[in-house]
């Protein structure tokens, strides 16, 4: 998908102006709502979606069902969401990879962000981290860089693959730090974490939401986060920007809808999500998982945010030399 086309989608928004009969004659929602996820049950995004979905179900008076469709670098879940009926009862709980970086990394996708989705709500930012095993002698980023440079090409950093979010962060870290580490791809964060604890790699780049519990249990050690500033709740862990300058690579979660979804459903869901995220108890529980709910957005704000993210990641892919395939 060309960048110009994506910008047009973001600028226009693409929300259906039609008002179906059910919206005229009944209050939305009058049945269960489904959130499709591209991640497996028990993952960081899944945990956040289930927590938010439980509260949304109470607020809306209808259950919110989580439908996990992992695999294919988000393509399976995104495609399923794109092909769903735009009836106001199916939404896509999407990640940065699904909506932004996949469009820059693949010449062909089984879904089209421009044609298939419209923005609904922003959920949270999800910082990534560089982790080591709890028993590793590496205590800091300086230790990691020094060990990598002295290893004669034997130092390794696990990630989810060169064309994934964590893989690009690993490549960006390598490029800016001159660490010269081997980047080892894994099928998912769970496999990478197990291999890190098993001593098969020296470090791991992964989202904090999926690895926070292992770190809190003392099995892994977070030596740096990828946000511009230190992450609340992890203030003892330095941000990579403290070592490498303007390093601000965080993921995020957002809700989008199949194009054609009634505007009434989108507007009401945006409003209810923002009310819930402003609740300190809920935001604290989400932060305990890892993500940060430090901003709420209108539908227009989400469109502008997507445009800014596309521009930012376009520059990152140029810097690390990743071309669409």
């Amino acid at each position: 998908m060309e960048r110009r086309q994506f910008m047009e989608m973001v600028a226009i928004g693409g929300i259906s102006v039609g008002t179906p009969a059910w919206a005229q004659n009944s209050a939305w929602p009058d049945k269960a709502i489904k959130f499709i996820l591209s991640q497996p049950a028990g993952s960081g995004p899944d945990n956040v979606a289930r927590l938010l979905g439980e509260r949304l179900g109470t607020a809306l008076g209808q259950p919110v069902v989580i439908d996990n469709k992992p695999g294919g670098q988000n393509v399976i879940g995104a495609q399923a969401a794109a092909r769903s009926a735009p009836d106001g009862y199916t939404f896509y709980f999407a990640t940065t990879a699904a909506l932004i970086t996949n469009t820059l990394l693949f010449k062909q996708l089984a879904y089209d962000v421009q044609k298939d989705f419209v923005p609904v709500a922003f959920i949270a930012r999800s910082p990534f981290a560089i982790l080591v095993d709890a028993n590793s002698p590496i205590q800091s980023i300086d230790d990691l860089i020094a060990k990598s440079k002295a290893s004669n090409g034997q130092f390794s950093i696990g990630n989810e693959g060169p064309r994934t979010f964590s893989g690009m962060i690993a490549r960006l870290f390598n490029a800016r730090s001159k660490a010269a580490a081997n980047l080892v791809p894994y099928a998912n964060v769970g496999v990478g974490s197990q291999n890190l604890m098993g001593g098969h790699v020296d470090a791991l780049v992964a989202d904090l939401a999926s690895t926070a519990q292992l770190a809190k249990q003392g099995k892994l050690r977070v030596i740096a986060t990828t946000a511009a500033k230190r992450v609340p709740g992890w203030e003892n862990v330095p941000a990579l920007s403290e070592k490498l300058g303007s390093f601000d690579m965080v993921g995020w979660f957002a809700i989008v809808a199949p194009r054609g979804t009634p505007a009434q459903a989108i507007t009401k869901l945006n409003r209810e999500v923002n009310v819930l995220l402003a609740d300190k108890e809920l935001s604290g529980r989400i932060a305990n998982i890892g993500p940060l709910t430090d901003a709420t957005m209108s539908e227009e704000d989400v469109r502008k945010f997507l445009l800014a993210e596309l521009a930012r990641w376009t520059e990152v892919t140029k810097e690390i030399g990743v071309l669409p395939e």
Side-chain angles (χ1 to χ4, degrees), residues 5 9 22 75 91 113 156 187 191 217 223 237 244 285 297 304:
Q5 293 175 314
M9 179 278 290
W22 67 260
V75 172
F91 297 87
V113 175
S156 57
V191 175
Q217 292 167 6
I223 61 171
V237 177
L244 303 177
R285 291 185 64 183
M297 298 187 188
K304 292 178 179 178

Side-chain angles (χ1 to χ4, degrees), residues 41-84:
S43 64
D46 177 78
N47 291 335
V48 174
R50 289 180 186 277
L51 181 57
L52 180 64
E54 180 183 351
R55 297 297 181 87
L56 272 173
T58 300
L60 294 171
Q62 295 291 341
V64 175
V65 179
I66 306 302
D67 186 5
N68 301 94
K69 295 184 181 297
Q73 295 185 206
N74 293 278
V75 172
I76 294 174
Q79 182 181 20
R83 293 181 176 179
S84 298

Side-chain angles (χ1 to χ4, degrees), residues 219-256:
K219 297 178 181 179
L220 298 179
R221 182 187 309 126
V222 181
I223 61 171
T225 58
T226 64
K229 299 180 180 180
R230 297 196 179 198
V231 176
W234 300 86
E235 289 86 357
N236 61 322
V237 177
L240 277 178
S241 59
E242 297 173 31
K243 177 68 179 179
L244 303 177
S246 57
F247 201 106
D248 183 17
M249 296 292 117
V250 300
W252 41 260
F253 310 138
I255 297 173
V256 297

Side-chain angles (χ1 to χ4, degrees), residues 1-10 114 307 310:
M1 181 183 65
E2 295 181 359
R3 178 178 175 181
R4 177 183 59 79
Q5 293 175 314
F6 187 95
M7 291 171 68
E8 290 174 354
M9 179 278 290
V10 172
Q114 177 197 10
L307 179 59
L310 177 67

